[in-house]
Amino acid sequence: MKLAVVETEIPPDADPKLPLPVLQLVGVRKTFADFAAIERIDLDIFEGEFLTIVGPSGSGKTTLLRMLAGMEAPSEGNITFRGERINNLPANRRPTCLVFQSLALFPHKSVGENIEFPLKVKKIPPAERKQRALELLRMVRLPESYYGKNVMKCSGGEKQRVALARAFAYDPAILLFDEPLSALDYKLKKAMEKELKDLHRESGKTFIYITHSLEEAMVMSDRIGVLRAGKLVQLGTPEDIYARPADRFVSEFVGEVNVVSARRNDGGEWVADDTGKRLRVIVPAALAGSPELALVIRPEFMRFVDKPGGADNTLEGTIYNEYSLGSRIQYQVRVGEKTFLIEMSRGHAWKAAPAATVTIGWDAGDAIVVTP
């Protein structure tokens, strides 16, 4: 099957030093009957990057991945690989390999036979297949002695590594991952996150990773795309997503946050919507005319205030609970009907008994200001 070449217009002011996309989605939409699972996504994916798509259940992550893998065709728009349209190219003809959540290993085969499967399909000679399988075992940090081991006798983490080695055996330009770490326990998951990032760096391959865990995405990714109801609501570096969320949905999805609803009073001052207390707010130019805003303050930017003027904005509340998070301590403080979170390093822990009355606060520059 010959691929159709799509002429991609390069802006006249484009920087010639910047890489061109290896994979490009232009106006991609996917519908099932009257339901739109993906709504006109434009996305450039660059050679060698680690891109993670996150979003809640039902946001369209898996549908997007299936289109990239060739398991679904777009209803509208184009998917191109290095300028060639691949909308209807079947999965076995695409420059991609998908690592499934279930891993999809052959239970009756050995570790080596699982890894060699793509090479056998390509009719690579047995000796060459084994040599490549042993190289891949070393790459995924498994002993060469595992070559003849039945894959069902491997632990969960070992099976994960075998699946990765098999994916690399296909030698794809792009590796696609469908929540491959979701079934692992916490300690193993954290280890595999680091190993995946190391493998990405060592291989130079393009990784596209799907997960509902923002924590996974923050650890591993060069860029993160946030999906909501089939729409790509924000795309940026982990720092962009965390520190400069596009809206309240993204800010709350990215982790635990404190949200204060604010409105302008008749005098033009910003006040807390529920208490009427005046607030100091630094309003972005794009939101200057908004009558209502949401102030998002991450727990590490909230603090206990023990003297007047100790923070730009303060609230009175009571200590409700305290949680140990290893090197950090998190406090719950009840302010009226709302609960605020404060997170501090263990070395700077606040000494206060449950039900003690406290003042908490934050500085105006530490609040992320978004639409409500």
Side-chain angles (χ1 to χ4, degrees):
M1 181 184 296
K2 188 175 180 180
L3 304 186
V5 177
V6 179
E7 294 295 333
T8 304
E9 184 178 350
I10 300 175
D13 58 348
D15 187 342
K17 297 179 182 178
L18 294 178
L20 293 176
V22 63
L23 199 65
Q24 191 169 41
L25 287 74
V26 180
V28 169
R29 189 168 188 260
K30 180 64 180 179
T31 58
F32 298 96
D34 296 330
F35 173 69
I38 294 293
E39 282 281 15
R40 291 187 175 82
I41 285 181
D42 295 318
L43 177 61
D44 290 347
I45 301 165
F46 297 98
E47 191 94 47
E49 81 165 321
F50 197 132
L51 173 71
T52 300
I53 303 294
V54 299
S57 297
S59 60
K61 303 186 302 295
T62 298
T63 299
L64 179 60
L65 195 70
R66 287 174 64 86
M67 286 193 289
L68 297 179
M71 301 165 72
E72 298 280 356
S75 303
E76 299 176 27
N78 284 313
I79 301 175
T80 63
F81 173 71
R82 293 179 179 151
E84 297 181 327
R85 186 185 293 114
I86 60 171
N87 286 23
N88 299 304
L89 196 68
N92 64 344
R93 299 282 305 281
R94 293 206 177 195
T96 59
C97 182
L98 175 59
V99 179
F100 293 93
Q101 183 177 352
S102 63
L103 304 184
L105 297 171
F106 298 114
H108 59 288
K109 292 182 180 293
S110 68
V111 167
E113 288 170 331
N114 268 278
I115 296 171
E116 287 181 12
F117 176 75
L119 305 173
K120 189 174 182 179
V121 171
K122 293 179 180 180
K123 302 188 185 305
I124 303 296
E128 190 176 337
R129 291 203 306 263
K130 182 174 182 178
Q131 183 62 34
R132 179 59 177 152
L134 292 174
E135 290 173 0
L136 290 169
L137 279 174
R138 290 193 293 270
M139 187 183 77
V140 298
R141 298 168 178 81
L142 284 176
E144 290 186 9
S145 59
Y146 273 49
Y147 177 84
K149 185 176 182 177
N150 184 280
V151 76
M152 298 311 292
K153 293 183 179 179
C154 293
S155 68
E158 290 166 350
K159 289 177 183 176
Q160 185 71 63
R161 290 177 174 87
V162 174
L164 285 169
R166 186 179 63 181
F168 276 101
Y170 282 98
D171 195 25
I174 301 168
L175 276 86
L176 308 172
F177 297 87
D178 183 13
E179 303 203 52
L181 308 184
S182 60
L184 302 181
D185 63 53
Y186 180 79
K187 186 176 180 180
L188 183 54
K189 182 182 292 188
K190 301 311 292 180
M192 288 303 300
E193 287 173 0
K194 293 178 180 177
E195 290 198 19
L196 271 174
K197 188 167 185 176
D198 289 346
L199 281 173
H200 172 255
R201 179 180 294 275
E202 292 165 10
S203 69
K205 299 283 188 184
T206 303
F207 282 18
I208 302 175
Y209 193 96
I210 297 294
T211 182
H212 65 277
S213 169
L214 207 286
E215 185 178 357
E216 277 183 37
M218 296 289 287
V219 168
M220 297 187 291
S221 312
D222 297 319
R223 288 192 303 160
I224 298 170
V226 183
L227 272 183
R228 182 188 188 189
K231 297 180 180 179
L232 191 62
V233 293
Q234 188 168 358
L235 178 68
T237 65
E239 173 65 18
D240 289 334
I241 300 294
Y242 189 80
R244 293 173 288 280
D247 56 24
R248 181 169 176 172
F249 167 79
V250 175
S251 69
E252 292 180 326
F253 186 77
V254 171
E256 294 179 304
V257 293
N258 302 293
V259 180
V260 176
S261 298
R263 58 179 172 81
R264 289 189 190 274
N265 63 16
D266 293 339
E269 299 173 306
W270 288 103
V271 297
D273 198 35
D274 51 353
T275 64
K277 184 171 184 177
R278 285 187 297 179
L279 300 170
R280 184 182 172 199
V281 182
I282 299 175
V283 183
L287 300 177
S290 301
E292 297 180 352
L293 294 171
L295 311 183
V296 178
I297 309 102
R298 299 208 178 277
E300 63 267 31
F301 291 119
M302 295 286 291
R303 62 180 182 271
F304 294 101
V305 179
D306 56 5
K307 59 183 179 181
D312 290 341
N313 298 294
T314 58
L315 300 167
E316 305 298 320
T318 57
I319 296 281
Y320 179 72
N321 221 329
E322 175 183 318
Y323 303 95
S324 175
L325 304 175
S327 62
R328 297 164 291 132
I329 303 291
Q330 190 176 84
Y331 304 87
Q332 282 187 333
V333 178
R334 289 278 175 87
V335 178
E337 298 296 316
K338 298 184 68 172
T339 299
F340 286 81
L341 297 176
I342 299 177
E343 199 168 288
M344 306 177 73
S345 67
R346 184 172 288 278
H348 295 86
W350 183 265
K351 304 300 181 185
T357 300
V358 293
T359 301
I360 61 174
W362 71 95
D363 291 331
D366 290 331
I368 302 166
V369 181
V370 294
T371 54

